Amino acid sequence: MKRLHLLIFTILLSIWMGREHAVARAFAAKPAYMELKVYHIKTSRQEALIDSFLQRQYLPAMRAAGIATIGVFKPIGNDTAADRSIYVLTPYASLGQWEKVGKETTAKLLAAGGAYVNAAHKNPAYTRLETVFIKPFEEMSGLAAPKLDAPKSERVYELRSYEGASEKIFRNKVQMFNAGGEVKLFARLGFNAVFYGEVVFGSKMPNLLYLTSFANMPARDAHWKAFGSDPEWKKLSALPEYQNNVSHIDITFLRPTDYSGL
């Protein structure tokens, strides 16, 4: 009887573990929230330090915690920028998972040490670390890896931030993307979106963020030219209810690192 109970327990445990792994994979594809970390740096030493930390410590620790798909990007022209940066996009199944993984992973990384963790206050690994928390749009709730054949060194990822003059006006732009059909229009025109989402907390609220991807810069320009002349966009953008719903736009062109999951 004991052997039978042990066998049943083993079978149930295996089923439960398999379900947990399946749920984790589903969460990676369809997150409830996304965290965008932006490391602001000044020197090549800092960039190398963060690259090493992300590739050899952070990403393995996050994969061990069940989060496999993480994107790491750098702005095009980063080497000559006054404020150099590294972007890290991480999906989470829930606020609870974000809190749990953050707490446990941070503890493990601090315990493991290394050049990044133990950087001295007079010679830090970065100048500042910015965090933006994002909730995916209803119309595209998943996090999609772009379908591009071009080498990562040639790809162009376009991160756009649309700010609204007020919460009400911002909601109007979000509605335009979802029920208004703007997300579907981008999809039809092959913009290879990675995500669309509203910022839950960040430095430019109220605002939304979305990330599209292209084989190269000429392809990006051609897509936007097609978008601007598309009859559906002209009709949508001319509707009275969608006028003046964006007060400021920031555009950042990115490239994925060699070790990026997106």
Side-chain angles (χ1 to χ4, degrees), residues 24 27 35 37 57-68 70 90-110 133:
F27 284 156
E35 178 190 63
K37 288 183 178 181
Q57 292 181 276
Y58 179 77
L59 293 185
M62 295 300 283
R63 284 194 290 268
I67 301 176
I70 297 175
T90 306
Y92 290 95
S94 65
L95 289 173
Q97 188 195 32
W98 169 72
E99 185 175 13
K100 180 177 183 292
V101 170
K103 182 179 180 180
E104 294 177 355
T105 301
T106 298
K108 291 179 181 178
L109 292 172
L110 289 175
F133 214 61

Side-chain angles (χ1 to χ4, degrees), residues 90-248:
T90 306
Y92 290 95
S94 65
L95 289 173
Q97 188 195 32
W98 169 72
E99 185 175 13
K100 180 177 183 292
V101 170
K103 182 179 180 180
E104 294 177 355
T105 301
T106 298
K108 291 179 181 178
L109 292 172
L110 289 175
Y116 170 90
V117 170
N118 294 321
H121 75 282
K122 291 184 178 181
N123 198 16
Y126 51 81
T127 57
R128 283 294 81 189
L129 175 57
E130 177 185 354
T131 300
V132 181
F133 214 61
I134 307 159
K135 185 173 180 61
F137 281 175
E138 295 174 1
E139 196 59 39
M140 182 183 169
S141 58
L143 183 64
K147 298 175 181 178
L148 298 172
D149 295 329
K152 287 185 176 181
S153 60
E154 297 177 9
R155 296 180 189 179
V156 174
Y157 289 58
E158 185 169 0
L159 179 66
R160 287 193 169 216
S161 169
Y162 288 178
E163 298 175 30
S166 69
E167 290 93 331
K168 180 180 178 180
I169 295 172
F170 164 73
R171 284 291 160 201
N172 178 264
K173 184 58 181 178
V174 173
Q175 195 269 348
M176 186 178 181
F177 266 94
N178 288 297
E182 196 168 348
V183 169
K184 290 180 179 178
L185 175 58
F186 276 115
R188 176 170 64 79
L189 294 176
F191 271 69
N192 260 311
V194 177
F195 75 86
Y196 299 91
E198 61 179 273
V199 173
V200 179
F201 60 78
S203 61
K204 298 181 179 180
M205 297 178 68
N207 74 306
L208 62 86
L209 288 172
Y210 68 98
L211 184 65
T212 52
S213 60
F214 312 91
N216 48 47
M217 191 61 78
R220 178 264 177 195
D221 294 342
H223 276 78
W224 276 109
K225 183 178 180 180
F227 182 90
S229 61
D230 189 88
E232 185 181 346
W233 169 246
K234 288 185 176 181
K235 180 180 178 181
L236 178 64
S237 61
L239 293 174
E241 61 265 35
Y242 292 138
Q243 300 307 301
N244 303 311
N245 57 9
V246 176
S247 59
H248 181 76

Side-chain angles (χ1 to χ4, degrees), residues 20-61:
E20 289 297 300
H21 286 303
V23 169
R25 288 194 296 272
F27 284 156
K30 193 174 181 180
Y33 295 95
M34 293 173 287
E35 178 190 63
L36 182 64
K37 288 183 178 181
V38 185
Y39 291 89
H40 295 276
I41 58 179
K42 289 184 177 181
T43 68
S44 297
R45 169 197 161 271
Q46 288 178 321
E47 184 174 359
L49 204 60
I50 294 171
D51 272 328
S52 179
F53 167 73
L54 291 174
Q55 187 173 9
R56 295 179 172 83
Q57 292 181 276
Y58 179 77
L59 293 185

